[in-house]
Amino acid sequence: MTEPTVRLVNISKSFGEVKSLENVNFEVYPGEVVGLLGDNGAGKSTLIKIITGYHQPDPGGEIYFHGKKVENLTVPKARALGVETVYQEKALADDQSVWRNIFMGREIANRLGFLDIKQMRAVTQRLMTEHMGFTSKAVNPDTPVRTMSGGERQGIAITRALYFEAELIILDEPTMALSLSETRKVLDFIANIPKAGKAGIFIDHNIFHVYPVVDRIVVLDRGRVAGEFRKADVSLEELIDRLYQVARTGRLEAARGGKA
Amino acid sequence: MTAERVSTVAKPGRSPFTLWLRTHALQIGITIVAIGIWAIFAIGSPQTFFRGNIYQAFMSTTPFFGIMALWLTLVVITGEIDLSFPSIMTISMWVFATVMMATGNLAVALVLMLLMGLSAGMLNGIIITKVGVPSLVVTIGTSFFWRGMVKVLTGGTGTSLLPMRDTIFYELFVGRLFGFIPMQMVWMALFAILCWVLLNRHRLGAHIYLTGDNADSARLMGVDVDRTKIIVFGLAGFSAAFAGLVASLEVTYYWPTLGEGYLLNTLSSVFLGGTSVFGGTGTIYGTFVASFIIGAINAGIVAIGMSGFWTELIYGLIIVLSVVTQTIVGRRIK
Ligand SMILES: Nc1ncnc2c1ncn2[C@@H]1O[C@H](COP(=O)(O)OP(=O)(O)O)[C@@H](O)[C@H]1O
Ligand SMILES: [Mg+2]
């Protein structure tokens, strides 16, 4: 059996008094997209920020990548392991150029730290024409991203996650600021993640966005995993019923929601 | 992977030339201001402004705060502020004077002085990032602390630097290149190049801009924001020590009050130069040109015979005006 791309065992995370996550077990396998659902404040963003190395879990939790335990995960370590993320929050540095945003945190540089700007510009130019659909000569790698539309900016954030040969692509509410057609493109992209043998985690409030493009759904409620099931086992209508039930009781009916 | 997601049509009016104008608006602006001020002085007092002496004077005095302003620019771009550099100047120079008197070894005194500045700067950075106190508060505190310490240690008495007079160090830091260009000017030019390269061609500079622009996002993408700030404050402390040495050597005397009077002209150079108070934008070119504008204004005030009391008022006005203009112009451009 293949090892999961990432496996979290017994993960808890507290911020002072607030317990954002409690004893969460979670895994994603290569070739699948997992939908992460739950109310505001359920702990979805906290969970993925543990995978991306931004938050360190409370003592006792364990993180495995491809079956290997990783201690003291940091953002650069996670990115080196192939984790790329499109965040819900303001993810770009507005006054900086497109190329500086694309290469944020992993600039191409020599051993002394001097930047290879020529190469970063060239790569950005290629990504802009091939993947972001910029055709105008007026928009170039040196354009500050502040001047761009919401869709263009999200395009940069997504392309940034893609360019670096990601093995696990995490999207935390990527459609929040997007128009209908822009949302469509993001969803198409997510649906294509498994075809390349990669893994994905998709967080979105809109169940109609999530259901069609994921293979498995994990429901978080107040920091705990309330339930988990394969899409094949539950229709969209049933899923909606169950989410209401979770909101009321904090539990999922055990009946057909068994683990994969 | 799927091509053309999130495709877009570029808005009209974004030609490469307008883009260049937009991204260089502040640099163009400061250049025009500099030329304008020069023209006013030149017309008002041609006999002064068409002779070399006045420029030699500018090149001699401007670097005392200009060197500091260059490195302070990096701090301000990260979205922080440092008000403690005048005090770091004096505590570092106290180390220099004391070690020089005790050992007579100028090289050792020089190294320890620079280390003092570097550590005091890094201490600012560590308190700001690791404890999470705003830089404004931290550096007001450390400013009083270091100046207070100098007062306690010296009791207000200075040290003559006459032993330096005939050494290579004197020639190296405040001598005259080709008998005309003050060495402090050469150092300021070298530091300007170094700062520019660090800021625009080095990973540290990339992280400085990202930190000031969007620290949260930078952190999420793996930029070590805390480390970047500590380095930048360390460099500011280092250059404070250096600037303190140059200013003291010029008068061959270490005054414990060293640094007093440099706060306003340094800050006004940075802000007049177009560096944003909000962090994320700023240029070395802007600060460099602005330092000389500030230096010229100082000289101009004295030349027209106005009292020195006016300088503070005018620097204050410059800070307020440049910050206000920047914010308004910035909003228009964006
Ligand atoms: N950095 C933080 N400091 C303190 N509390 C936090 C922090 N991040 C998240 N929380 C808290 O953790 C809980 C879960 O938040 P989050 O993971 O953002 O939820 P979700 O993404 O599911 O809406 C919330 O109660 C939130 O206030
Ligand atoms: Mg969230």
Side-chain angles (χ1 to χ4, degrees):
Chain A
M1 202 186 118
T2 47
E3 293 282 355
T5 306
V6 66
R7 180 200 291 280
L8 302 184
V9 180
N10 199 28
I11 294 288
S12 300
K13 178 69 188 173
S14 344
F15 297 102
E17 296 287 285
V18 184
K19 278 208 148 188
S20 293
L21 293 174
E22 274 186 272
N23 310 319
V24 169
N25 296 306
F26 179 85
E27 64 276 305
V28 191
Y29 287 88
E32 74 165 347
V33 175
V34 175
L36 199 50
L37 297 177
D39 255 344
N40 273 330
K44 305 181 296 292
S45 296
T46 307
L47 183 68
I48 60 119
K49 281 177 184 166
I50 287 193
I51 299 174
T52 62
Y54 182 72
H55 287 318
Q56 276 61 52
D58 296 345
E62 294 165 10
I63 305 172
Y64 297 84
F65 277 87
H66 298 292
K68 267 202 211 126
K69 190 169 172 182
V70 180
E71 310 274 0
N72 304 321
L73 189 64
T74 59
V75 176
K77 246 195 219 176
R79 288 185 94 180
L81 287 162
V83 180
E84 290 295 337
T85 316
V86 180
Y87 285 100
Q88 73 184 85
E89 293 114 301
K90 218 171 75 78
L92 302 181
D94 284 339
D95 288 319
Q96 313 308 316
S97 62
V98 180
W99 71 262
R100 282 186 187 267
N101 272 285
I102 291 271
F103 288 92
M104 189 191 290
R106 54 163 66 168
E107 297 79 13
I108 302 178
N110 69 14
R111 235 191 284 142
L112 294 174
F114 290 100
L115 302 174
D116 187 345
I117 293 181
K118 221 174 140 197
Q119 195 187 341
M120 287 190 278
R121 273 208 188 101
V123 170
T124 304
Q125 183 69 65
R126 185 170 59 75
L127 292 174
M128 287 175 80
T129 44
E130 287 176 14
H131 296 272
M132 290 187 254
F134 287 103
T135 43
S136 161
K137 281 219 176 73
V139 187
N140 66 43
D142 289 308
T143 310
V145 302
R146 182 189 289 286
T147 60
M148 301 180 166
S149 75
E152 289 173 322
R153 296 156 55 88
Q154 195 64 308
I156 293 172
I158 291 177
T159 307
R160 173 168 76 184
L162 286 191
Y163 169 69
F164 296 101
E165 304 282 299
E167 288 219 20
L168 171 64
I169 299 163
I170 299 173
L171 301 101
D172 190 348
E173 304 193 26
T175 63
M176 216 156 57
L178 299 191
S179 72
L180 271 176
S181 66
E182 287 165 348
T183 301
R184 181 77 259 149
K185 281 170 186 147
V186 171
L187 295 179
D188 284 348
F189 157 70
I190 297 171
N192 273 306
I193 292 176
K195 285 185 194 145
K198 302 182 174 189
I201 302 174
F202 179 28
I203 302 177
D204 202 301
H205 272 300
N206 191 332
I207 183 76
F208 299 101
H209 288 167
V210 177
Y211 189 81
V213 297
V214 301
D215 304 289
R216 198 151 53 86
I217 287 168
V218 172
V219 182
L220 275 185
D221 185 73
R222 281 156 270 187
R224 293 171 176 277
V225 176
E228 169 175 2
F229 40 84
R230 292 168 164 281
K231 183 167 78 173
D233 296 339
V234 62
S235 71
L236 182 56
E237 290 71 30
E238 280 178 298
L239 178 62
I240 293 169
D241 276 350
R242 280 160 196 239
L243 288 174
Y244 278 126
Q245 186 196 335
V246 170
R248 280 199 316 274
T249 65
R251 293 217 104 68
L252 260 189
E253 220 169 75
R256 286 161 69 197
K259 265 186 113 176
Chain B
M1 280 281 137
T2 51
E4 88 272 289
R5 292 169 320 277
V6 199
S7 89
T8 31
V9 182
K11 292 181 207 124
R14 291 201 281 195
S15 80
F17 181 64
T18 44
L19 175 65
W20 186 86
L21 280 185
R22 266 178 198 182
T23 47
H24 294 82
L26 290 167
Q27 279 143 291
I28 298 165
I30 191 71
T31 310
I32 294 171
V33 170
I35 295 170
I37 289 181
W38 180 82
I40 292 170
F41 283 143
I43 294 165
S45 177
Q47 67 277 36
T48 322
F49 276 84
F50 285 101
R51 269 196 285 140
N53 291 3
I54 183 87
Y55 300 102
Q56 191 180 19
F58 285 161
M59 289 193 290
S60 158
T61 53
T62 303
F64 300 147
F65 61 90
I67 287 173
M68 193 57 233
L70 290 170
W71 295 96
L72 188 66
T73 304
L74 306 193
V75 174
V76 178
I77 295 176
T78 65
E80 304 288 347
I81 189 74
D82 183 357
L83 302 179
S84 68
F85 62 85
S87 301
I88 296 182
M89 282 186 188
T90 189
I91 186 70
S92 307
M93 256 324 271
W94 175 83
V95 169
F96 181 89
T98 309
V99 175
M100 183 193 75
M101 296 305 279
T103 68
N105 189 329
L106 295 178
V108 171
L110 186 71
V111 169
L112 290 179
M113 173 201 76
L114 292 172
L115 275 180
M116 177 68 227
L118 183 71
S119 331
M122 287 176 74
L123 180 69
N124 283 335
I126 289 166
I127 299 174
I128 289 157
T129 55
K130 301 302 175 191
V131 188
V133 188
S135 52
L136 187 74
V137 178
V138 172
T139 58
I140 286 177
T142 53
S143 181
F144 278 106
F145 177 79
W146 293 122
R147 191 161 294 284
M149 179 171 279
V150 164
K151 285 184 180 161
V152 170
L153 290 168
T154 62
T157 17
T159 310
S160 166
L161 300 177
L162 268 181
M164 293 288 286
R165 191 82 213 209
D166 296 316
T167 67
I168 172 96
F169 290 105
Y170 187 84
E171 283 305 314
L172 195 60
F173 292 122
V174 292
R176 296 285 179 268
L177 187 66
F178 313 125
F180 177 71
I181 302 172
M183 277 307 288
Q184 56 264 44
M185 182 62 218
V186 176
W187 283 100
M188 182 171 164
L190 287 177
F191 280 133
I193 294 167
L194 180 60
C195 282
W196 186 90
V197 169
L198 272 183
L199 199 51
N200 296 288
R201 292 289 178 270
H202 195 271
R203 188 185 279 128
L204 175 68
H207 290 183
I208 287 172
Y209 279 120
L210 292 169
T211 295
D213 196 323
N214 190 342
D216 290 334
S217 175
R219 265 199 201 97
L220 286 167
M221 300 308 284
V223 173
D224 195 333
V225 167
D226 291 359
R227 185 169 157 270
T228 305
K229 287 185 180 173
I230 293 169
I231 291 176
V232 158
F233 274 97
L235 291 172
F238 183 90
S239 67
F242 189 93
L245 175 72
V246 174
S248 306
L249 279 184
E250 182 76 13
V251 293
T252 28
Y253 202 84
Y254 162 56
W255 295 100
T257 53
L258 174 66
E260 282 175 8
Y262 284 143
L263 185 65
L264 274 179
N265 44 12
T266 308
L267 288 177
S268 20
S269 302
V270 175
F271 292 126
L272 180 62
T275 300
S276 166
V277 229
F278 304 109
T281 55
T283 63
I284 292 302
Y285 175 80
T287 300
F288 188 88
V289 174
S291 306
F292 283 94
I293 295 178
I294 296 293
I297 288 172
N298 187 30
I301 290 169
V302 178
I304 14 181
M306 275 159 84
S307 110
F309 295 129
W310 281 90
T311 42
E312 281 195 13
L313 185 148
I314 289 171
Y315 290 156
L317 196 64
I318 288 174
I319 293 181
V320 174
L321 281 183
S322 47
V323 169
V324 168
T325 337
Q326 242 181 65
T327 312
I328 292 170
V329 171
R331 243 184 252 142
R332 282 271 173 80
I333 293 173
K334 287 150 194 166

